Amino acid sequence: PQAIAMMEQAKRILDPDNLLNPGVLVDPAKFDSDMRLASPPVPLRTTLRLTHDAGSFSGAVHRCTGVGKCIADTAHIPGGGSGAVMCPSYLATREEKDSTRGRAHVLQDVAMGLIGFDDPAVEDALDLCLSCKGCASDCPTGIDMATYKSEVLSQKYAGARGFLRRPRSHYVLGQLPRWARMTPPRVANAMLRSKALGRIAKGAAGVDPRRSLPRFSERPLRTGEAPLAANVDVWIWADSFTDRFAADTGRAAIELLESMGLRAAVIPEPACCALTWITTGQLNAARRIVGRAVETLHGYVSSGTPVIGLEPSCLASIREDAAQLVDDPRAIEVSAGIRSLGEFLADRVATGAWTPPDLSGVEVVAQPHCHHHAVIGWETDAALLARTGAQVKRVGGCCGLAGNFGVELGHYETSVAIAEHDLLPAVRNAGPGAVVLADGFSCRTQLDDLAGRRAVHLAELLHPRFDRSRFDPTSATR
């Protein structure tokens, strides 16, 4: 009462005619008088289990409270934002609709039944979402827009009519592992070398003509030969990208492990994580593919022999997306049982079984894959690199390619703008002998395409016969 009396006296002195905000100090509105009561959400049967929100799409999208961290350039905060990813598309366009918050608000309208999944506002909001999962770790409230986008696309293109309306890129790029298994590498590479056939292939796939397409590995990593499990100390899970497009990375990992005295072998059966189906919202097919992968991988994980995944996006998909697609307790065991190369090597260092190579004087520009940052965590890799003595510059933000996103028609300019925000300046500003480290196949493809740089995987950087001259800026491979 005394404080109120003092404020009233001050108001009479400063505003004797009661012109400024009359009644605000002594007659405030009720606390809830300006609150808008939301209507109940529309019941929705989702394809994804949305386990973090008890299966509720409305609960998931209403995680957003408008904090706005997604519109902050946290990647450039000295000492506080290094390594942040969210939200790359907003940083490229600076439009609210392209932020995590803007997208969440549009999807909240969908959840409340105000607009439908096929509303133009939904397509406009999600078109430039890279499904990078940066928000899943960087958003204070845990928004996972990559997961919500997959569900939206699944709902939008459900049924026979939806099948006919889907962009052709979903059937080509969104099912790339299937086509890669069916196409002989030499035939595919010969087609890609032909300008005429290359243009036709890009047009059929919905690929921007300014993009180059990655070459297939001449020899896939999986040979189909099944070694005796008793003779194997560590298994390599050959995801579709490592198997068909980056087999040399897999072989480098095997040689690195063998240099430690370990007997390493590749899991001979196919086990696709269905990542490309998931990001394009082909979730019914993804559930079948992931179910088969879980069944295959569980036998290896449950045996007690370590299993290593080399492609961050595929490992992240197994760790997070598998359990969202299949209600199978084995998915949880597989999720916990497959390790990244960095995690496996860190354990070897901790037990004294392996000493990292001395990379003193080597400048490393490291681009963690977005899914590595968001789901797996890159801190283990950072600590491992610190043990080598290398001078490591960790790049924040996204590379801008993000699987099929950066090669699709209509996304090229945004993809390049995102790369120019963090990655490309870091590479240009690095010394002439710097090594660019990028475990993600998308990141290496983007660097090759836009910077002409041959980036290396952690398995190559730590290889006992690592030759820095092989990764000279002028030796890019296409």
Side-chain angles (χ1 to χ4, degrees):
Q2 184 178 2
I4 293 177
M6 292 176 63
M7 287 189 291
E8 289 177 334
Q9 182 179 6
K11 188 174 185 296
R12 283 194 296 269
I13 295 172
L14 298 175
D15 185 24
D17 297 323
N18 198 32
L19 299 177
L20 302 175
N21 299 318
V24 169
L25 290 177
V26 296
D27 187 23
K30 291 184 178 180
F31 177 76
D32 59 352
S33 62
D34 295 320
M35 293 184 68
R36 176 174 59 89
L37 296 178
S39 56
V42 175
L44 173 66
R45 184 177 180 179
T46 60
T47 310
L48 292 170
R49 298 177 65 218
L50 300 178
T51 55
H52 302 304
D53 295 280
S56 170
F57 181 77
S58 177
V61 299
H62 277 95
R63 280 175 172 264
C64 179
T65 57
V67 172
K69 188 178 178 183
C70 50
I71 60 172
D73 196 349
T74 53
H76 289 164
I77 298 176
S82 178
V85 172
M86 179 185 71
C87 176
S89 52
Y90 172 79
L91 294 178
T93 69
R94 301 289 175 172
E95 294 190 33
E96 173 77 14
K97 70 178 181 64
D98 297 321
S99 69
T100 305
R101 180 174 66 183
R103 293 178 177 122
H105 288 180
V106 171
L107 295 186
Q108 288 169 7
D109 285 345
V110 174
M112 307 314 292
L114 302 177
I115 57 177
F117 283 104
D118 57 353
D119 191 281
V122 178
E123 181 176 359
D124 192 33
L126 293 180
D127 179 51
L128 296 185
C129 173
L130 289 82
S131 296
C132 70
K133 282 191 177 289
C135 51
S137 62
D138 295 349
C139 173
T141 61
I143 285 286
D144 183 358
M145 194 55 61
T147 295
Y148 311 158
K149 180 178 180 179
S150 296
E151 182 64 45
V152 168
L153 292 175
S154 176
Q155 298 284 343
K156 178 179 179 178
Y157 296 118
R161 292 182 62 188
F163 180 86
L164 298 174
R165 291 167 48 224
R166 272 190 181 273
R168 61 182 180 276
S169 63
H170 286 195
Y171 295 115
V172 182
L173 301 175
Q175 300 182 18
L176 183 59
R178 170 182 292 170
W179 306 124
R181 287 195 305 270
M182 295 171 57
T183 309
R186 292 184 180 179
V187 173
N189 289 335
M191 291 177 61
L192 294 176
R193 283 194 294 267
S194 167
K195 292 184 178 180
L197 292 177
R199 283 196 297 270
I200 294 174
K202 291 179 185 179
V207 172
D208 191 288
R210 291 165 288 187
R211 281 291 184 187
S212 61
L213 297 175
R215 295 180 68 253
F216 286 65
S217 296
E218 294 291 338
R219 289 188 302 122
L221 184 61
R222 275 192 314 108
T223 62
E225 300 175 3
L228 293 175
N231 296 330
V232 177
D233 295 317
V234 56
W235 290 104
I236 298 292
W237 166 43
D239 61 87
S240 299
F241 294 99
T242 303
D243 183 34
R244 293 288 166 167
F245 297 97
D248 286 348
T249 294
R251 283 186 269 271
I254 292 173
E255 292 172 4
L256 170 61
L257 296 168
E258 289 177 341
S259 72
M260 305 176 195
L262 300 172
R263 294 165 297 184
V266 178
I267 293 175
E269 299 95 337
C272 180
C273 69
L275 174 65
T276 57
W277 281 267
I278 293 170
T279 56
T280 52
Q282 302 177 80
L283 298 183
N284 291 324
R287 180 184 292 113
R288 294 191 296 271
I289 295 168
V290 168
R292 291 195 296 266
V294 166
E295 184 175 358
T296 297
L297 295 172
H298 184 261
Y300 292 92
V301 169
S302 61
S303 71
T305 302
V307 180
I308 295 175
L310 298 175
E311 171 56 42
S313 60
C314 294
L315 177 55
S317 185
I318 285 292
R319 285 199 178 174
E320 177 60 29
D321 299 327
Q324 301 295 339
L325 284 162
V326 296
D327 187 6
D328 186 339
R330 294 178 300 178
I332 304 299
E333 295 179 42
V334 170
S335 170
I338 302 182
R339 317 213 71 196
S340 70
L341 179 62
E343 290 170 336
F344 178 82
L345 295 179
D347 285 347
R348 301 285 293 179
V349 172
T351 60
W354 179 67
T355 301
D358 184 2
L359 298 179
S360 301
V362 177
E363 182 184 3
V364 177
V365 177
Q367 170 67 39
H369 190 285
C370 295
H371 292 183
H372 200 153
H373 161 78
V375 179
I376 303 167
W378 200 74
E379 291 71 22
T380 299
D381 295 65
L384 185 64
L385 290 171
R387 294 288 296 265
T388 69
Q391 301 172 1
V392 181
K393 161 66 176 177
R394 177 178 179 174
V395 181
C398 178
C399 76
L401 190 66
N404 57 293
F405 173 86
V407 300
E408 288 178 338
L409 287 168
H411 293 165
Y412 182 81
E413 286 77 11
T414 302
S415 176
V416 173
I418 292 170
E420 285 289 357
H421 188 266
D422 292 286
L423 178 58
L424 296 184
V427 171
R428 285 194 291 263
N429 294 333
V435 176
V436 182
L437 173 67
D439 283 1
F441 178 73
S442 288
C443 306
R444 296 196 299 274
T445 301
Q446 182 82 317
L447 283 160
D448 189 7
D449 211 34
L450 300 184
R453 292 295 295 260
R454 163 75 162 90
V456 304
H457 189 280
L458 183 66
E460 297 172 299
L461 179 63
L462 301 181
H463 194 283
R465 295 191 301 277
F466 173 69
D467 181 4
R468 207 185 321 175
S469 64
R470 289 176 56 203
F471 307 103
D472 184 89
T474 61
S475 65
T477 57
R478 295 186 180 275

